[in-house]
Amino acid sequence: MIAEPNTASNLPSQKESAVHDETAPESAVQNGSSVRNGNLKTPREKRKVREQCENIRRNSSSSRRVSQLQNGEVVEAVTLFEVVSMGKRAMQSVVDDWVQAYKQDRNVALLDLINFFIQCSGCQGMVTAEMFQSLHKKDVMRKMTETFDEETGLQYKKFMAYPWILTVTWPVDTDNKDYPLIRTGPYWKKFKANFCEFIAVLVQQCQCSILYDSYLMDTIISLLTGLADSVVRAFRHTSTLAAMKLLTAVVSVHLNLDVNKHNAERLYEVEKKRISGKRTNYRLDQLERKREEYERKLLEIQNMMNAIFKGTFLNRYRDVIPEIRATCIEEIGSWIKTYPDGFLNDSYLKYIGWMLYDKQAEVRLKCLLGLQGIYSRKELVSRMDLFTSRFKDRIVSMPLDKDHEVAVQAMKLLMLMSQNCGDVLSTEDCETLYQFVYTTHRPLAVAAGEFLYKRLLSHEGDEEVQPEGGGKFGASTDRLKRLISFFLESELHKHVAYLIDSLWDWAGKFLKDWECMTTLLLKNAEEGGEALSDAHESVLIEIILATVREAAEGHPPVGRGAAKKILSVKEKKIQLEDCTKITEHFIMVLPQLLAKYSTDAQKVANLLQIPQYYDLDVYRMGHLRKHLDALLREVKDIVAKHSDMSVLEASSRTYYILCSEEIAIYSQVDRARTQLIDELMGQLNQLLDGFWQKEEGFCTDAGEVSQMHSALRRVAAFHNAHDLTKWNLYDKTLRLLVFEMEHGSLPVLMTLPALQCMYFSLLWQLAAVSENSPKETLFTLRRELRCFSRICVCFLHHKEKDVREKAFMILCDWLLILSHQDSNNNEEAVGLLDYLPSASLQEKLLLFIQEHVFMEEEEESKDLTEEEERKDESGKLDDLHKKRSLLAAYCKLIVYNVVEMSAAAEIYKYYVKTYNDFGDIIKETLSKTRHNNKIQSTKTLILCLQQLFQTHAESQDSSSSVDFYSASFTNMKELARRFSLTFGWDQVKSRESVAMIHKEGIEFAFQGATGVGGKCLPPNLSFLLIISEFSNKLLKPDKRLVYAYLQRYIAEPLPCRGDEWQPLIWYRNSLLANEDEESSVLSSSGELSPMGTSKMSSFKRKLSNGSLPVTSQTEAEDKAPDLQCSSQLASAAGKRRKRLKSREMHLQEHLPFLCPGGLPRRCCKGEIKTEDVSKKGQAEDTTEDVDVDVVSADQDS
């Protein structure tokens, strides 16, 4: 047998940049063939075939030659595989050369083609061919095998490729690792395209000649069928793809023959009618022969199609490899669309239907894409009735698919079915599909929006049919009413923005018809037509706001889409035009709408958000100033009428938007704003004067309390966006809050807005601190800051829950601002105003979280009606939202180092217990703190576990041992497991942290041990079970270090009697587990080996005071026989002793800083420490290199 040179396996996946854009791999252009001709007829004939094969290669090299520059030398592609893989020549020319060679000697050409398919599979072995005629039938059946030779380590496959029996031999260790079709990169993507194109062109060029010689196609089909039955993935995948593309090309030939036959039959009939009598006609005979020839060819083509379909498709459409299944389904969809007369029947459609249930998304996607091509053609839909009835329910359920692309294509398929299949979708089906407009995945929502718009909103003839009384907006009005009714019926009243975004791509013109919308709102019932109800008006106003926001911002709402979309030049132009259109229309209409709905808080709050999307430059036109005056009047009246916070904040923001100093209307709006605030402060001062004049010192009249509450809320809303410092609001609110602290009789409705006003007042003063601020101002502000902090701390114990929560939220934000303020580069101001919470304040904040967030409230069992239960559930959700806000505010203080990170240990205790409610917040806190300081974060984790263990131990009977199966101990183990999972899969990155957990855990476990040599049971020994959850995160060298460190606390021999010492045994076993496996991190990280040049060389391990005293590997091995704690542990250590010793030299060579045997030992205690001794890489090693730092210890020489 002739060995094949390296061909496909070493092809590079990147382009060369020397001369050409793409180059063929060097190994792919080496001369040689992998096919050997064996047992032809005689030795002379075999030599003749070999010579012809070489001559064909040499002769065809001039026509097939592709020159490229690689490593400075010109290389040439000679074999068919090399030419196709390079793709530098037109495929038709390549096929023509091969057809010419086939006509000269078909055996040699076919062997070349066989070699091509074998090489395309990435085979590095060799192939032999022996003639089928030379063997007896029993011999043939015996040789049709695929075996593995254990002695040589080679895989053999023998199969029929008529007229030969081929034997392929290849190394078994490379059978499934890598082959051209699964390689990534542009080169291999192009190779796959070239491979498919070659097969298609080959059939196309042969359809008029050698395709029907009963030799070529028989050989190719038998070859591909044989390879498709291999257990080797590379052969199966490549041959299945080739067979499917071959059948696709043959189907095209069948269609051409069918057309030619039809034309020949027509000509025959015409010619037959033209002749008269029984006179023979040469033309008629010629047409008859041509028709018979077409029928014969069609029969042969049909046989080829059946052979490929039955030999390859039926076996491979359910292959274990999803890529193979996807290829089969993709091609059968192509056959059905191309040749529906032959394939569009239930015997073929069933395969697509079955694979809709495939576990792999790629296969399901190919099914849906194939069905889209069928259902998009109305002439084919009528023949899909049985398939539709059988698989409709499955397709309707597929928009819920976990794969986003499958869900989107399923929705598009349902859109086509709805359009072309009549009433195949029931009302219930449609209502289910409509709800997908609210999904967060935008492509699916847009597809559902198309379904909703075309199915429900857009009816044919809407533009022509004008409803009675509809006027010029008849069609749009009808659509709007249908849209409003749909939204109300869906009962998702807070998701208008999602609905509008889903419809935007399909109904953008309709949704931008703001003139129609506002006309419908302003129309009265007496003007004719049906007026909108109050609910319909509210929804329409929300739709107006959502459409204005979508047009002005140009990106999806929050929660739909990862980031803001980058607009193209055309989209930006459309966006500017829409903003101008919005401004010009609503400048005139908005005051009318505000006047009509001035008493409705919800409607007014939505309408007042529209001005923030104005193009304010439009106001420069003089004739629009009167509309600005009308708007300001209406906003002023609304502020006077309402005390709802959403309305007041929207009004305040409107003034803020219109008060931009860059625009011409600033002075006009500023005068109106100042006048309004003067009036609000006048009302507040009058109410405060009356309040302080009362003898009791507080008001008891509910009306006065309500007035004071409304006045304070209005001022607080405007103080949020506008600087009201000159109105001296701080002193007024301070007096109220001090009165509440002293007497505790101030109504809550007054306390909350007063606290908010004081907070805003101090923020504005803090923002006004400049580089030139005098010291007197800074000292005054400092005194006010400290005073406000004391008030907030006092209110943490207020009798009213709302006041407590408000004070806590303000205090957390306040501490965060003060600890991170820069005071406009004024260093003196930073020193005076900087404020960090004291230890007592940190304790109070933590206690507040424990009592008001994690403390479970006792629920009273009551018999509630359905309405009361709904309100109760709504109240619980509101309480949960408040608790999450409180916890998030406190966790921000931890993340930004305002409070000690160790305080997070109390929060982490509730991670498992409150996972459903607060798990995401706690996990994010853990992630952020670890990013800030890995070491301190790790100490916080171990502190959390230690505190829980101590609490558990105190709750146990001192005379009894720790119950490993109690609920509290099980919860601790689960918490440790969850902590372990947060370190992820990168063991190198978390190496130092995990090692520290084990070190701290071992020290805590043996803390308080008494007796000579530590032979008495340590009280915390069962804590080793907790930290054993982190053992799987240790690298193998670190496991040995931790194991050696553990040995220093163990007396020898260990008195292992009873279950008391079981935690130690279990923990030691966890450190010795999986020793047989190579470390995936070390084996795959080739860059860690050359320690002289890598960044890792900048670290050395040393033991300073209190460092980790680790015994050497040899010492650990010498002591191992004496450590007979249990037969289980002894056997485990004994099995691994030789293996650890044999790897010691390897570790010393490649990772010297990991090997305790190669380091000097110092007699000192403490923790494992790293030190950077590389001067050259000192600067760069302080960042990312910490992630690959290794925990080790020095040892005595």
Side-chain angles (χ1 to χ4, degrees):
M1 301 201 308
I2 303 174
E4 175 193 348
N6 290 334
T7 55
S9 63
N10 297 323
L11 299 181
S13 59
Q14 298 180 349
K15 300 180 180 179
E16 294 289 333
S17 59
V19 177
H20 299 284
D21 293 335
E22 297 181 20
T23 63
E26 180 180 1
S27 59
V29 294
Q30 295 176 359
N31 195 4
S33 172
S34 64
V35 178
R36 176 183 174 179
N37 309 294
N39 299 333
L40 288 177
K41 288 186 179 179
T42 64
R44 180 177 298 176
E45 289 183 353
K46 289 194 290 183
R47 286 195 301 272
K48 179 180 179 182
V49 170
R50 290 196 194 99
E51 292 172 359
Q52 289 173 337
C53 184
E54 295 300 326
N55 291 335
I56 289 295
R57 290 204 189 97
R58 285 192 293 269
N59 294 335
S60 63
S61 64
S62 60
S63 59
R64 222 190 254 173
R65 183 172 300 157
V66 179
S67 299
Q68 286 192 269
L69 190 64
Q70 188 168 2
N71 297 329
E73 298 180 359
V74 177
V75 294
E76 296 179 354
V78 177
T79 66
L80 190 59
F81 168 75
E82 294 159 0
V83 176
V84 172
S85 62
M86 286 181 181
K88 291 296 183 180
R89 290 184 53 205
M91 201 58 64
Q92 186 170 349
S93 175
V94 175
V95 172
D96 288 341
D97 291 345
W98 184 87
V99 171
Q100 188 65 30
Y102 181 87
K103 291 179 179 179
Q104 294 179 10
D105 191 317
R106 63 183 186 180
N107 286 339
V108 175
L110 272 176
L111 290 175
D112 198 10
L113 187 61
I114 292 171
N115 184 37
F116 166 72
F117 285 115
I118 298 297
Q119 288 181 303
C120 287
S121 301
C123 179
Q124 300 183 63
M126 45 191 169
V127 183
T128 60
E130 44 192 340
M131 292 302 293
F132 168 68
Q133 291 85 349
S134 65
L135 299 173
H136 298 292
K137 185 174 182 180
K138 292 183 179 180
D139 241 3
V140 172
M141 298 307 297
R142 183 175 58 82
K143 286 181 175 292
M144 300 298 111
T145 58
E146 184 167 352
T147 59
F148 170 64
D149 189 341
E150 295 184 0
E151 295 182 0
T152 61
L154 298 177
Q155 187 86 9
Y156 294 90
K157 178 173 179 60
K158 296 186 179 183
F159 61 96
M160 171 73 70
Y162 188 84
W164 297 290
I165 295 176
L166 299 179
T167 303
V168 185
T169 309
W170 69 97
V172 70
D173 58 341
T174 58
D175 55 354
N176 282 330
K177 299 294 184 183
D178 192 19
Y179 56 95
L181 288 186
I182 64 172
R183 291 174 186 163
T184 58
Y187 182 88
W188 297 112
K189 185 177 181 180
K190 186 175 181 182
F191 165 78
K192 183 177 180 180
N194 292 340
F195 178 71
C196 298
E197 183 186 0
F198 172 80
I199 296 172
V201 175
L202 177 64
V203 175
Q204 180 184 359
Q205 294 299 101
C206 297
Q207 63 179 329
C208 297
S209 55
I210 60 177
L211 192 67
Y212 311 100
D213 64 354
S214 299
Y215 193 80
L216 170 64
M217 291 301 291
D218 288 351
T219 303
I220 295 177
I221 293 173
S222 59
L223 167 71
L224 297 179
T225 303
L227 289 176
D229 287 335
S230 173
V231 297
V232 181
R233 169 179 175 169
F235 286 150
R236 285 205 320 279
H237 190 181
T238 307
S239 59
T240 301
L241 176 63
M244 295 300 99
K245 293 297 181 181
L246 183 66
L247 182 49
T248 301
V250 170
V251 168
S252 299
V253 174
H254 189 285
L255 290 176
N256 294 335
L257 287 175
D258 210 16
V259 172
N260 294 335
K261 176 190 172 185
H262 180 67
N263 293 337
E265 289 177 346
R266 290 180 57 190
L267 290 174
Y268 179 81
E269 295 297 331
V270 171
E271 189 69 22
K272 187 176 181 180
K273 291 179 182 179
R274 191 174 62 83
I275 64 173
S276 58
K278 298 181 179 179
R279 187 158 51 90
T280 59
N281 186 300
Y282 173 76
R283 172 66 173 166
L284 192 64
D285 294 340
Q286 186 181 23
L287 291 173
E288 178 66 22
R289 288 193 299 272
K290 184 174 292 188
R291 186 178 66 173
E292 293 175 354
E293 180 186 357
Y294 286 141
E295 290 178 352
R296 179 182 58 79
K297 289 183 177 181
L298 280 171
L299 182 60
E300 290 187 25
I301 289 293
Q302 191 65 43
N303 292 334
M304 296 176 194
M305 292 164 56
N306 291 335
I308 299 174
F309 185 83
K310 294 178 181 178
T312 304
F313 180 88
L314 289 183
N315 295 327
R316 299 277 70 82
Y317 84 93
R318 50 188 178 181
D319 193 278
V320 69
I321 305 301
E323 290 88 347
I324 297 177
R325 301 198 300 273
T327 298
C328 294
I329 296 303
E330 181 180 15
E331 294 306 316
I332 195 175
S334 174
W335 306 334
I336 294 174
K337 287 182 291 184
T338 306
Y339 184 30
D341 293 337
F343 288 96
L344 187 56
N345 55 66
D346 296 322
S347 61
Y348 292 100
L349 285 171
K350 65 183 179 182
Y351 300 110
I352 298 181
W354 292 343
M355 301 312 288
L356 287 172
Y357 297 89
D358 195 274
K359 292 182 179 180
Q360 293 295 325
E362 179 185 3
V363 182
R364 300 194 299 273
L365 182 62
K366 296 299 182 183
C367 294
L368 293 172
L369 293 175
L371 291 174
Q372 286 179 17
I374 300 172
Y375 279 103
S376 62
R377 297 168 59 180
K378 288 186 177 181
E379 68 275 12
L380 302 181
V381 170
S382 59
R383 299 155 67 176
M384 299 280 293
D385 293 341
L386 182 59
F387 177 87
T388 302
S389 62
R390 169 65 179 82
F391 295 103
K392 185 203 73 172
D393 292 340
R394 170 57 181 164
I395 298 174
V396 170
S397 69
M398 291 186 77
L400 291 169
D401 197 282
K402 63 181 180 181
D403 185 83
H404 290 319
E405 186 61 25
V406 172
V408 172
Q409 298 304 326
M411 185 62 71
K412 292 182 178 180
L413 174 60
L414 289 165
M415 181 71 248
L416 295 173
M417 294 174 65
S418 174
Q419 288 179 331
N420 299 328
C421 294
D423 298 330
V424 66
L425 297 178
S426 64
T427 304
E428 292 76 11
D429 294 335
C430 292
E431 289 177 355
T432 301
L433 297 174
Y434 291 156
Q435 300 305 315
F436 283 96
V437 296
Y438 298 109
T439 185
T440 55
H441 183 59
R442 192 171 191 275
L444 177 58
V446 170
E450 179 189 9
F451 184 85
L452 172 65
Y453 180 71
K454 294 182 178 179
R455 179 89 183 187
L456 184 65
L457 303 180
S458 178
H459 294 166
E460 294 183 3
D462 274 354
E463 300 297 333
E464 291 78 12
V465 178
Q466 298 290 337
E468 184 178 353
K472 65 176 182 177
F473 303 115
S476 297
T477 301
D478 190 43
R479 290 181 187 175
L480 271 175
K481 290 181 177 178
R482 289 199 293 266
L483 179 60
I484 293 170
S485 299
F486 164 75
F487 179 75
L488 290 174
E489 291 170 1
S490 65
E491 298 182 355
L492 295 170
H493 303 293
K494 296 181 180 180
H495 296 79
V496 175
Y498 284 79
L499 173 61
I500 296 303
D501 182 60
S502 301
L503 294 169
W504 194 256
D505 292 350
W506 305 103
K509 183 179 179 182
F510 154 64
L511 294 175
K512 291 179 184 178
D513 194 354
W514 295 295
E515 185 179 358
C516 171
M517 299 179 188
T518 53
T519 302
L520 191 59
L521 284 174
L522 294 172
K523 182 170 63 174
N524 297 320
E526 55 270 13
E527 294 179 3
E530 182 181 356
L532 296 176
S533 65
D534 182 68
H536 283 68
E537 288 178 339
S538 298
V539 173
L540 183 53
I541 290 175
E542 291 184 37
I543 290 175
I544 291 175
L545 176 60
T547 54
V548 168
R549 181 188 294 116
E550 187 86 17
E553 294 181 349
H555 57 79
V558 177
R560 179 177 285 178
K564 292 185 178 181
K565 183 175 64 174
I566 300 177
L567 303 179
S568 62
V569 176
K570 182 180 179 180
E571 290 173 333
K572 288 181 179 179
K573 182 180 179 182
I574 295 175
Q575 183 183 19
L576 293 175
E577 292 175 352
D578 288 339
C579 286
T580 304
K581 182 180 176 182
I582 290 168
T583 308
E584 292 176 349
H585 176 70
F586 284 98
I587 276 178
M588 297 179 289
V589 176
L590 185 59
Q592 303 175 40
L593 294 173
L594 292 174
K596 182 176 180 179
Y597 300 108
S598 59
T599 57
D600 193 315
Q602 181 184 359
K603 295 174 184 174
V604 167
N606 288 327
L607 289 172
L608 284 174
Q609 295 182 51
I610 295 178
Q612 63 182 294
Y613 303 106
Y614 280 2
D615 179 9
L616 297 178
D617 291 334
V618 176
Y619 272 117
R620 292 179 178 178
M621 292 181 283
H623 68 281
L624 296 177
R625 294 294 181 91
K626 59 180 182 179
H627 298 294
L628 176 61
D629 292 334
L631 175 62
L632 295 176
R633 283 196 306 271
E634 294 299 333
V635 175
K636 181 179 179 181
D637 293 341
I638 288 171
V639 172
K641 291 179 181 178
H642 292 274
S643 61
D644 185 86
M645 210 60 192
S646 61
V647 176
L648 296 176
E649 288 177 351
S651 303
S652 175
R653 182 167 180 80
T654 300
Y655 276 102
Y656 176 78
I657 294 296
L658 298 176
C659 275
S660 178
E661 297 183 2
E662 292 82 13
I663 59 177
I665 60 174
Y666 168 73
S667 58
Q668 182 181 355
V669 180
D670 185 49
R671 283 195 304 270
R673 178 182 61 176
T674 304
Q675 182 182 359
L676 174 61
I677 295 175
D678 283 337
E679 294 179 4
L680 294 178
M681 292 302 300
Q683 295 173 5
L684 179 61
N685 290 332
Q686 185 179 359
L687 291 170
L688 287 175
D689 291 341
F691 173 75
W692 297 118
Q693 288 175 2
K694 290 185 176 292
E695 295 180 0
E696 296 83 358
F698 62 93
C699 53
T700 57
D701 183 63
E704 293 181 5
V705 172
S706 177
Q707 291 180 6
M708 182 74 74
H709 169 69
S710 300
L712 284 171
R713 283 169 70 94
R714 293 188 183 101
V715 172
F718 275 83
H719 207 355
N720 188 10
H722 307 275
D723 187 4
L724 309 185
T725 305
K726 65 180 181 179
W727 280 275
N728 194 21
L729 196 59
Y730 175 82
D731 293 336
K732 297 178 176 61
T733 53
L734 176 62
R735 186 177 179 186
L736 282 173
L737 296 177
V738 171
F739 177 83
E740 169 61 17
M741 290 175 60
E742 295 174 352
H743 298 85
S745 57
L746 195 68
V748 178
L749 294 178
M750 295 174 59
T751 304
L752 290 176
L755 189 63
Q756 194 76 51
C757 286
M758 190 174 182
Y759 174 54
F760 289 146
S761 177
L762 289 174
L763 285 180
W764 281 107
Q765 293 184 54
L766 191 63
V769 173
S770 64
E771 198 171 344
N772 300 321
S773 296
K775 280 190 176 182
E776 293 77 9
T777 303
L778 296 178
F779 278 111
T780 302
L781 180 58
R782 180 184 181 183
R783 185 173 60 253
E784 293 175 352
L785 297 180
R786 300 297 188 271
C787 178
F788 179 69
S789 298
R790 288 194 299 271
I791 292 174
C792 290
V793 172
C794 179
F795 282 172
L796 292 179
H797 306 285
H798 199 275
K799 59 184 178 180
E800 295 292 338
K801 178 182 178 182
D802 292 340
V803 176
R804 294 196 301 266
E805 293 177 350
K806 190 69 173 179
F808 182 84
M809 293 295 294
I810 289 179
L811 184 59
C812 288
D813 291 343
W814 189 238
L815 292 173
L816 190 62
I817 292 171
L818 291 180
S819 60
H820 289 77
Q821 47 91 24
D822 57 5
S823 297
N824 297 322
N825 300 321
N826 189 338
E827 295 182 0
E828 184 179 10
V830 172
L832 289 173
L833 302 179
D834 189 38
Y835 180 71
L836 289 175
S838 61
S840 61
L841 178 55
Q842 294 185 35
E843 292 178 2
K844 292 178 181 178
L845 293 174
L846 180 58
L847 183 63
F848 184 91
I849 288 294
Q850 291 175 326
E851 292 179 351
H852 295 85
V853 175
F854 295 118
M855 189 74 70
E856 295 183 358
E857 299 178 359
E858 297 182 0
E859 297 183 2
E860 299 179 2
S861 57
K862 298 179 180 179
D863 295 332
L864 303 177
T865 63
E866 185 177 350
E867 181 67 24
E868 290 174 341
E869 287 182 357
R870 187 159 51 247
K871 290 183 179 179
D872 187 53
E873 288 296 326
S874 177
K876 289 180 180 178
L877 287 176
D878 292 339
D879 289 341
L880 177 60
H881 177 70
K882 291 179 180 178
K883 289 181 178 180
R884 287 176 57 84
S885 299
L886 294 172
L887 180 60
Y890 181 74
C891 289
K892 281 194 295 184
L893 299 181
I894 297 174
V895 170
Y896 291 100
N897 299 318
V898 180
V899 302
E900 296 293 336
M901 192 180 294
S902 58
E906 295 293 333
I907 305 297
Y908 295 159
K909 293 178 182 179
Y910 300 94
Y911 181 47
V912 176
K913 186 178 181 181
T914 62
Y915 184 79
N916 292 334
D917 294 336
F918 311 114
D920 56 336
I921 299 176
I922 299 176
K923 187 175 181 180
E924 185 66 17
T925 304
L926 178 56
S927 174
K928 294 290 186 182
T929 53
R930 182 174 295 158
H931 178 75
N932 294 340
N933 191 327
K934 289 194 300 183
I935 301 301
Q936 189 62 34
S937 176
T938 303
K939 290 182 178 179
T940 304
L941 291 183
I942 196 68
L943 175 64
C944 171
L945 295 173
Q946 290 172 354
Q947 291 176 352
L948 284 174
F949 183 83
Q950 289 174 339
T951 303
H952 170 76
E954 291 171 0
S955 65
Q956 299 288 316
D957 187 1
S958 59
S959 60
S960 62
S961 60
V962 177
D963 185 5
F964 302 146
Y965 303 101
S966 63
S968 59
F969 195 86
T970 305
N971 291 336
M972 274 191 292
K973 281 191 60 103
E974 176 62 19
L975 181 61
R977 188 185 71 84
R978 296 285 185 95
F979 286 163
S980 174
L981 292 176
T982 62
F983 287 104
W985 295 101
D986 192 348
Q987 292 177 298
V988 171
K989 189 174 183 180
S990 59
R991 194 173 191 178
E992 188 175 2
S993 301
V994 175
M996 176 172 289
I997 288 177
H998 284 274
K999 174 188 171 298
E1000 297 282 346
I1002 292 172
E1003 293 176 353
F1004 177 77
F1006 289 93
Q1007 186 178 10
T1010 58
V1012 181
K1015 293 186 179 181
C1016 292
L1017 182 71
N1020 300 333
L1021 186 66
S1022 55
F1023 189 73
L1024 294 176
L1025 284 179
I1026 307 298
I1027 62 172
S1028 66
E1029 297 291 339
F1030 298 90
S1031 296
N1032 62 338
K1033 296 297 180 182
L1034 283 170
L1035 290 174
K1036 285 184 171 49
D1038 296 343
K1039 284 187 177 182
R1040 298 168 198 156
L1041 291 175
V1042 173
Y1043 180 82
Y1045 186 59
L1046 178 66
Q1047 296 292 85
R1048 301 183 65 84
Y1049 290 88
I1050 301 174
E1052 302 168 5
L1054 186 66
C1056 298
R1057 298 174 183 175
D1059 295 335
E1060 295 87 355
W1061 294 91
Q1062 281 299 317
L1064 174 61
I1065 297 173
W1066 289 338
Y1067 179 59
R1068 292 173 67 175
N1069 287 343
S1070 72
L1071 295 177
L1072 297 173
N1074 300 325
E1075 195 67 36
D1076 294 333
E1077 302 175 3
E1078 284 293 333
S1079 173
S1080 60
V1081 177
L1082 296 180
S1083 62
S1084 62
S1085 301
E1087 68 274 13
L1088 297 182
S1089 297
M1091 298 307 301
T1093 57
S1094 70
K1095 295 180 181 179
M1096 300 289 289
S1097 63
S1098 63
F1099 295 101
K1100 77 174 183 179
R1101 303 318 180 250
K1102 80 171 189 176
L1103 292 169
S1104 58
N1105 289 333
S1107 62
L1108 175 62
V1110 182
T1111 57
S1112 68
Q1113 185 66 40
T1114 306
E1115 291 172 348
E1117 291 170 2
D1118 292 339
K1119 293 177 183 178
D1122 299 329
L1123 301 177
Q1124 302 297 332
C1125 298
S1126 67
S1127 60
Q1128 179 183 8
L1129 180 60
S1131 62
K1135 290 179 181 178
R1136 293 170 176 83
R1137 193 175 303 116
K1138 291 184 178 180
R1139 183 162 52 255
L1140 296 180
K1141 192 172 183 179
S1142 64
R1143 290 181 182 173
E1144 185 173 353
M1145 292 305 296
H1146 172 75
L1147 289 171
Q1148 288 177 350
E1149 179 182 355
H1150 294 285
L1151 295 167
F1153 54 91
L1154 294 179
C1155 296
L1159 298 175
R1161 180 180 177 184
R1162 300 177 184 175
C1163 298
C1164 50
K1165 300 180 181 180
E1167 61 180 357
I1168 305 173
K1169 186 176 179 182
T1170 62
E1171 180 179 353
D1172 187 358
V1173 297
S1174 173
K1175 296 181 180 180
K1176 182 178 180 181
Q1178 186 174 6
E1180 61 183 15
D1181 286 341
T1182 57
T1183 56
E1184 290 298 322
D1185 288 346
V1186 179
D1187 291 345
V1188 293
D1189 196 5
V1190 181
V1191 179
S1192 183
D1194 298 337
Q1195 299 181 359
D1196 288 338
S1197 55

